[in-house]
Amino acid sequence: MNDDDYPAMRLVHLLRAVTVELHLRGAEFAERGGLHPTDLRALIRLLDAERAGEALTPGRLGEALRLNSAGTTALLDRLERKGLVRRSRDPQDRRRVLVVVEPKAVELGRSFFGPLIAGLVDAAEEFTAAELEVVRRYLAAALDAAETAGPGA
């Protein structure tokens, strides 16, 4: 029996195809902007944190990206040189440093990914709220599975 005979495996294969396509788009964005692929992952993580109202320190960003301290410093130095992020003292605790995304990074992302995002929003509008909730639940479960998978997974 073929994997595609199982509805769950068809979803896995489709999710993998979407992931590959998004990765290719991200690599193109990074190349055009003179960014390392890790730079793009950092910007996405920072923007997601900002949207969630979460402040990120360099240490927490490094943990999220699985970078050591030296790698995180090099990453932030690159992004600061390009004017995409800045390190700022936490107003509640001046001993703590936060990483802040600069408007330039947001505009750069919008100019490249805007059409893709618009297409994804248009596609989502073809579904009912209940259907979108099912998709959201599946994607959240897929993300959890990816985050908790062990080595070699």
Side-chain angles (χ1 to χ4, degrees), residues 120-144:
L120 292 171
V121 169
D122 288 346
E125 288 175 352
E126 298 294 319
F127 296 85
T128 67
E131 289 171 325
L132 289 174
E133 177 56 20
V134 170
V135 172
R136 187 207 61 76
R137 284 182 36 232
Y138 175 75
L139 291 175
L143 177 60
D144 184 58

Side-chain angles (χ1 to χ4, degrees), residues 19-133:
T19 301
V20 168
E21 187 60 34
L22 292 175
H23 179 77
L24 291 171
R25 300 279 180 201
E28 183 183 348
F29 172 78
E31 184 179 325
R32 282 188 185 181
L35 300 172
H36 187 278
T38 304
D39 299 348
L40 175 59
R41 288 191 290 275
L43 289 170
I44 290 168
R45 179 64 186 98
L46 287 163
L47 289 168
D48 288 348
E50 185 177 287
R51 196 171 29 264
E54 174 188 356
L56 283 185
T57 63
R60 290 195 56 211
L61 178 63
E63 286 173 16
L65 298 174
R66 298 183 184 139
L67 296 175
N68 62 25
S69 179
T72 302
T73 299
L75 163 76
L76 292 174
D77 288 347
R78 283 193 310 270
L79 292 175
E80 279 186 320
R81 278 193 302 274
K82 291 193 173 292
L84 302 175
V85 302
R86 67 183 159 78
R87 293 171 221 185
S88 175
R89 293 277 175 208
D90 183 341
Q92 277 77 38
D93 182 352
R94 303 275 307 145
R95 297 169 295 173
R96 194 165 87 138
V97 173
L98 303 176
V99 183
V100 179
V101 176
E102 293 287 14
K104 177 182 176 181
V106 175
E107 287 308 311
L108 198 62
R110 277 193 186 130
S111 70
F112 184 88
F113 290 108
L116 170 62
I117 292 168
L120 292 171
V121 169
D122 288 346
E125 288 175 352
E126 298 294 319
F127 296 85
T128 67
E131 289 171 325
L132 289 174
E133 177 56 20

Side-chain angles (χ1 to χ4, degrees), residues 9-26:
M9 287 305 295
R10 286 195 303 268
L11 278 177
V12 168
H13 293 157
L14 189 55
L15 183 58
R16 182 179 61 200
V18 170
T19 301
V20 168
E21 187 60 34
L22 292 175
H23 179 77
L24 291 171
R25 300 279 180 201

